[in-house]
Structure formats: structure tokens, C-alpha cells
Amino acid sequence: MVGAGVFAAFAPAAAAAGSGVLVALVIAAFVAWCNATSSAQLAAQYPVSGGTYVYGRERLGPWWGFVAGWSFVIGKTASCAAMAMTFAAYAVPSPWQRPVAVGAVLGLAAVNYVGVTRTARVTRVVVSVVLVALAVCVAAAWSGADRGVAGDRLGDALDLGDLSWMGVLQAAGLLFFAFAGYARIATMGEEVRDPERTIPRAIVGALAGAVVIYAVVGATLLATLGASGLAESTAPVADAVRAGSWAWAEPVARIGAACAALGALLGLIAGVGRTSLAMAREGDLPAWLAAVHPRYQVPHHAELALAVVVSGIVLVADLRGAIGFSSFGVLLYYFVANVAAHTQDAGRRRYPRWLQVAGAALCVVLVATLPWRPVTVGVLVLAAGLAVRWFRLRGSPA
């Protein structure tokens, strides 16, 4: 979750909500909390690969599971492309960005190929670098800040009277994209020790830590750049550092952003590969994708296919379109997760049902705030997947 979104998502959110960006962050965090608790509750009962694809099938039926799994695969495939492009944008000049992005996809797919233990080790290193970079950037941004002006800007952020609530909700949808990452923990239930205990703790703990980090970074950006300056920035963390008195720290922001994008991409490849594995086992994706490597115990065919598809998207798509499309798929995925968690028995329940109702309703609201182009493309791709499954089932022998 502490990936490329923390370095990029606040700018478009401020463009939508203005000084209400911190209110949007609170809404996005609440939606993420509802979804995370539903995912944690379900993962404790069904500690197998596949996440909400499995939960939807078990609790609601095969079609619900397919909607969740297909939404996750298409949404997170687009996220993979977005993370690869973000990494390249911070790391190299424009002419080299697409080939370098493809190289990042192929390299991290190779890391995933040799086992989840190595994936976890690399992730620890990447997250450590990102957290250090963010700490330096926050300190650098405040080093030259006018405390009076910064205080006024943060005070404006708490004035709810002049907010455009439609803009705030749109900003919440954009910021939710940055939070969405805890589901990938649930997709890896077969590879975790003591999953009934470990997965819920990991999901809730990871989200809580990410919320604190995002709140600190968001308040810093708003205080140092102002709502209008933040909205116009293409690299807000780097711009906030540049506004301070530590000029030497700007490269730290770029290194941190590049590492964050790589860390997010690494986790995405692992999670999408395992959901594809689960769908292939049930016949909802080609059976070839269900293969598990005899030595490394990873879904190597699924991860190879994902690397090829993401590389193709990187070569033809743009970052804005990839993010919008991804948000559509992710919110549908969590909608199914909330509905599935609402049906669990009292003995399996860890959180009150109203959280699942709120999570499902807010997922629908945030989808409605997304730009119409990615929503239209998302609906078409979702419909295509549903049609293929319907025709396949219709043609299957009774």
C-alpha cells in the first residue's frame, strides 16, 4: 500500500477536492477499513489462494465469484502497468521510459517466479527504503515552510462549509486507489503460516500503518504547496521537497518513488498470479494457468502470462487511463467482498455487519465518481468476460 500512490495520488485528489483533500483521505480510509475488515474476516475462514474470487463462490455462488475474480484480474493487471510506468517516469528520461517499464515488469516477474519467500524479502527491503525516503522528504518539506501560512492552509482543510462534496467523493475514489493493496495478502492464503491468525492481523495492521503514513504525507503536501499548488503538481512530493531548504533531498524523493513503484509492482504480480491460479482451477480461466512450479511452488504459467500482457499494456497505454480502469475493477472486487462477508455465520464473524453494508454502499458511490471513459471500458471488459463464461457454460455437457 505504501507504493507509488503516496507519491502521486494526492495531486489529482486535490484537483478534485481542493482543500478538502484531507476530508477525502478520511473517507477513503474508512472505505478501505470496511473492505479490509471484510477481507480479513473471510480470509480467516477460507485461507486458500484466490481471495474474494473464492469467497464469492463459497458464500454467494459461482457467478459472484467470477465477477470478483475477473474484476481483480483486469483491474490489477492495469495497476501493474501503472506501477511500471510510474517507476520509469521517476527513474529515466522520457525516451527510455516504456522499455525500462517493460524491463521492470519482466525482472519482478522473475523474482516472483522463484518463490514467495524471496518476494517477501525483496518487499521488506523496498518498503524500508520507501519509508526512509518519505521521512526525509517530510522533514525537508517542513524545513523551509512558513509556519503561519502552513497553519492557515491546514485550517482551511478543516472548514467543511465550502467543500464540493462531489469533488471530495471523487478525490476519495482516487485516493482509494492508493490504499488498495491489502487484498493481495488474502490471495496468498496457501503460502502463509497459521493463516487464520496471521492474515487478519496482517491486513488490519498494514492498513492502519498506511493510513498514518498517508495522513502525515497528505498534511505535509497541503501545508507546503497549498491546495492549488498540489493540484497542479505532477510530482508533489518532489515539489514539496524543492519548496523547503534541503535542496539535496529532491533526488531522495525520486529514488523513494521509484522504489515504491517497484514494491507495489512486485506485490501486484504475486497477487494477480494467484487469483488467476484459483480461477483456472475452477475452469473460469484456461487450465494452462493452473500450473504450479514443481520446485518453487508458484503459479508460474499465470505469472508468465501476466508479464506478457502487462508489457503489452505498457507499450500502448497511458498512466491516467490505467489508473482509472484499475479503480473500477478494484472497487467491484471489494463490493463482492463486503457482500460475501455480510453472509458469514456468527461463529466466523469478527466485525459487525454494518461495516460490510457501509463498505458495499461506498464502493458503489466511489465507482459512480470515476471518470466516464475508464468506467465505460471497464463495463465493456467485464461484460465480455461474463459473456465468454456464459457461452462456455452453455456449451458444456450437462
Side-chain angles (χ1 to χ4, degrees), residues 113-116 191 274 277 292-300:
Y113 192 96
V114 296
V116 69
E191 299 161 87
R274 282 148 183 84
L277 164 69
V292 175
H293 196 281
R295 177 180 177 186
Y296 299 121
Q297 297 299 303
V298 298
H300 56 305

Side-chain angles (χ1 to χ4, degrees), residues 17-306:
S19 61
V21 66
L22 295 183
V23 178
L25 179 65
V26 172
I27 295 173
F30 177 71
V31 177
W33 177 260
C34 293
N35 298 342
T37 54
S38 291
S39 297
Q41 186 171 285
L42 288 160
Q45 184 172 354
Y46 304 103
V48 296
S49 291
T52 301
Y53 170 69
V54 173
Y55 314 150
R57 288 182 64 91
E58 294 291 334
R59 305 301 312 174
L60 304 169
W63 280 103
W64 284 84
F66 179 82
V67 169
W70 185 237
S71 297
F72 183 88
V73 169
I74 62 177
K76 292 303 185 178
T77 298
S79 289
C80 288
M83 294 302 99
M85 288 186 275
T86 300
F87 162 72
Y90 276 90
V92 296
S94 180
W96 291 95
Q97 286 178 7
R98 291 190 188 274
V100 167
V102 171
V105 172
L106 298 178
L108 293 183
V111 172
N112 270 295
Y113 192 96
V114 296
V116 69
T117 301
R118 291 171 178 81
T119 299
R121 289 172 182 167
V122 172
T123 300
R124 290 191 193 104
V125 173
V126 170
V127 171
S128 298
V129 170
V130 172
L131 291 177
V132 170
L134 282 174
V136 171
C137 291
V138 168
W142 283 102
S143 67
D146 184 317
R147 298 298 192 273
V149 172
D152 290 341
R153 288 168 173 169
L154 291 176
D156 291 341
L158 301 177
D159 183 0
L160 306 183
D162 295 329
L163 294 182
S164 165
W165 285 101
M166 181 57 71
V168 168
L169 289 173
Q170 186 177 85
L174 295 169
L175 290 169
F176 179 78
F177 166 82
F179 278 119
Y182 41 84
R184 289 192 292 281
I185 301 172
T187 66
M188 304 175 73
E190 294 182 18
E191 299 161 87
V192 175
R193 297 190 188 96
D194 190 10
E196 186 170 352
R197 173 176 176 270
T198 301
I199 291 179
R201 291 180 62 186
I203 290 174
V204 175
L207 177 61
V211 168
V212 172
I213 293 166
Y214 270 61
V216 171
V217 173
T220 298
L221 296 178
L222 190 61
T224 55
L225 298 178
S228 59
L230 178 56
E232 295 170 0
S233 176
T234 56
V237 175
D239 288 345
V241 170
R242 192 181 301 114
S245 59
W246 296 1
W248 56 267
E250 184 178 348
V252 175
R254 295 192 173 276
I255 292 170
C259 289
L262 288 179
L265 179 58
L266 183 67
L268 280 165
I269 292 172
V272 176
R274 282 148 183 84
T275 300
S276 300
L277 164 69
M279 295 184 72
R281 284 174 172 173
E282 298 292 340
D284 284 333
L285 287 178
W288 181 80
L289 298 174
V292 175
H293 196 281
R295 177 180 177 186
Y296 299 121
Q297 297 299 303
V298 298
H300 56 305
H301 286 179
E303 292 187 353
L304 288 173
L306 177 66

